[in-house]
Amino acid sequence: MTGPSPSIGALLADTVPMARTLGLEYLETSAERAVLRLPDQPEYRNHVGGPHAGAMFTLAESASGCAVLAAFGDQLSRAVPLLVRAEIAYRKLAMGPVTATAVLGRPAGDVVAELDRGERPEFTVTVEIAREDGAVTGEMAAVWTLRPHP
């Protein structure tokens, strides 16, 4: 695993204030994947003592955003990344800290080629949320676009 990339985490925190609220930890951010951790915090627990569904959604969406920024940061001068839609499934009870691993669904070069042709590409980032014991507690499919600047 590669080391944390403070520049991607700092960029997300600076441009998306909501991402700062949960105290997310940026474990890995590369063009291949992003791994973020949500520490166990009493103020973000649900009625059964695990992380609230909204906190896990924000964790997964933030991980997908880091993957997008890592893959397409060099395109920010001509396009803005936007989340189009996201679907999340909660599979098992999450307790304690949880980690989200986000992976780009297709090669970044293919997405950039669409942008080069004047299109507004859409692409999926898949995210797995897991407990410390490795059990997958949730899965997200986040569809992103790169909207060209006018």
Side-chain angles (χ1 to χ4, degrees), residues 91-102:
R91 304 283 184 210
K92 291 184 179 189
L93 184 62
M95 297 299 280
V98 288
T99 302
T101 302

Side-chain angles (χ1 to χ4, degrees), residues 41-56:
Q41 301 167 83
E43 62 272 26
Y44 297 117
R45 290 184 187 150
N46 60 21
H47 62 289
V48 293
H52 188 277
M56 288 192 295

Side-chain angles (χ1 to χ4, degrees), residues 52-123:
H52 188 277
M56 288 192 295
F57 185 97
T58 301
L59 168 69
E61 190 274 340
S62 296
S64 75
C66 281
V68 170
L69 287 172
F72 303 109
D74 61 340
Q75 302 299 317
L76 295 179
S77 64
R78 67 183 189 141
V80 62
L82 296 171
L83 185 66
V84 176
R85 63 187 169 277
E87 184 174 330
I88 192 164
Y90 300 101
R91 304 283 184 210
K92 291 184 179 189
L93 184 62
M95 297 299 280
V98 288
T99 302
T101 302
V103 178
L104 210 60
R106 64 185 176 119
D110 293 353
V111 175
V112 172
E114 287 181 28
L115 192 61
D116 289 342
R117 291 191 300 268
E119 299 171 17
R120 183 174 168 172
E122 286 192 4
F123 53 94

Side-chain angles (χ1 to χ4, degrees), residues 22-25 36-42 44-45 51 59 96-99:
L22 296 177
L24 301 178
E25 299 168 358
L36 275 64
R37 182 175 182 269
L38 173 65
D40 184 22
Q41 301 167 83
Y44 297 117
R45 290 184 187 150
L59 168 69
V98 288
T99 302

